[in-house]
Amino acid sequence: MAKTTKTNALRILDKNKISYEAKDSSHMGYSDNPDLDASLIHKTLVARGGSNELYVFIIPLNKELDLKKAATAAQEKKILMLPEKELLPNTGYIKGGCSPIGMKKLYKTFLELSSSKMEQLIVSGGKVKFRVKLQPNDLMQVVNAESVDLIK
């Protein structure tokens, strides 16, 4: 059995005694796995509000973030996606490997409402092509997330 790399995200899940399944998907794309429900896979988006605060939004990979709904959730007049060059210095993660778990700071985090009702979901495990599957309640607990309507 291959040894799983312990990323910061996995160490935090272990420390909080949260059950998860980690998978390195570098050898296959999600499209190569017909058993995997694409709606389970979620992306982690980081945005900056007018107040200069950063916010984290977790939404299904196949959906688009509604910036108006995101701004309302964050109680901001408007928000803009964080430029890619600012991702690593602010979160400790790079594009494609940005996990909502284990960022440099615990930013205010929001999970798409429909996702919070799922049995399980998949988010980045903290590096490119490395995923972690867990229950939405556990994810919300570990990142202190609120569940709100975020998608178009």
Side-chain angles (χ1 to χ4, degrees):
M1 190 170 130
K3 186 176 176 289
T4 302
T5 308
K6 284 289 180 185
T7 60
N8 199 27
L10 297 189
R11 283 191 281 277
I12 289 169
L13 292 173
D14 289 342
K15 185 178 142 213
N16 286 280
K17 295 178 176 42
I18 289 175
S19 172
Y20 64 88
E21 186 183 325
K23 279 214 183 338
D24 183 338
S25 62
S26 57
H27 59 284
M28 65 177 203
Y30 286 110
S31 58
D32 300 338
N33 186 347
D35 300 332
L36 188 60
D37 180 353
S39 69
L40 292 179
I41 305 166
H42 285 63
K43 55 189 170 187
T44 303
L45 302 172
V46 183
R48 175 173 279 125
S51 67
N52 219 25
E53 285 294 313
L54 294 187
Y55 301 96
V56 178
F57 301 94
I58 307 162
I59 66 169
L61 187 62
N62 57 356
K63 301 290 184 196
E64 194 180 336
L65 180 66
D66 183 318
L67 292 175
K68 283 192 181 356
K69 289 179 180 178
T72 301
Q75 298 178 336
E76 292 276 3
K77 281 192 169 94
K78 70 174 192 172
I79 62 160
L80 297 170
M81 296 309 299
L82 193 68
E84 189 178 332
K85 68 180 193 301
E86 294 181 36
L87 197 59
L88 180 61
N90 283 291
T91 67
Y93 291 123
I94 61 169
K95 184 178 180 187
C98 187
S99 177
I101 307 161
M103 290 189 179
K104 286 184 171 183
K105 273 179 64 181
L106 190 57
Y107 297 110
K108 191 139 179 65
T109 302
F110 303 92
L111 175 65
E112 162 53 32
L113 187 61
S114 59
S115 301
S116 69
K117 298 175 176 138
M118 297 171 76
E119 237 173 83
Q120 292 191 308
L121 52 78
I122 298 169
V123 294
S124 172
K127 61 183 191 175
V128 176
K129 296 196 184 261
F130 185 69
R131 305 278 183 235
V132 63
K133 182 194 280 188
L134 70 167
Q135 294 180 342
N137 289 356
D138 290 338
L139 175 63
M140 289 176 67
Q141 174 198 328
V142 81
V143 297
N144 197 23
E146 283 177 51
S147 124
V148 289
D149 177 20
L150 295 169
I151 54 179
K152 289 187 175 177

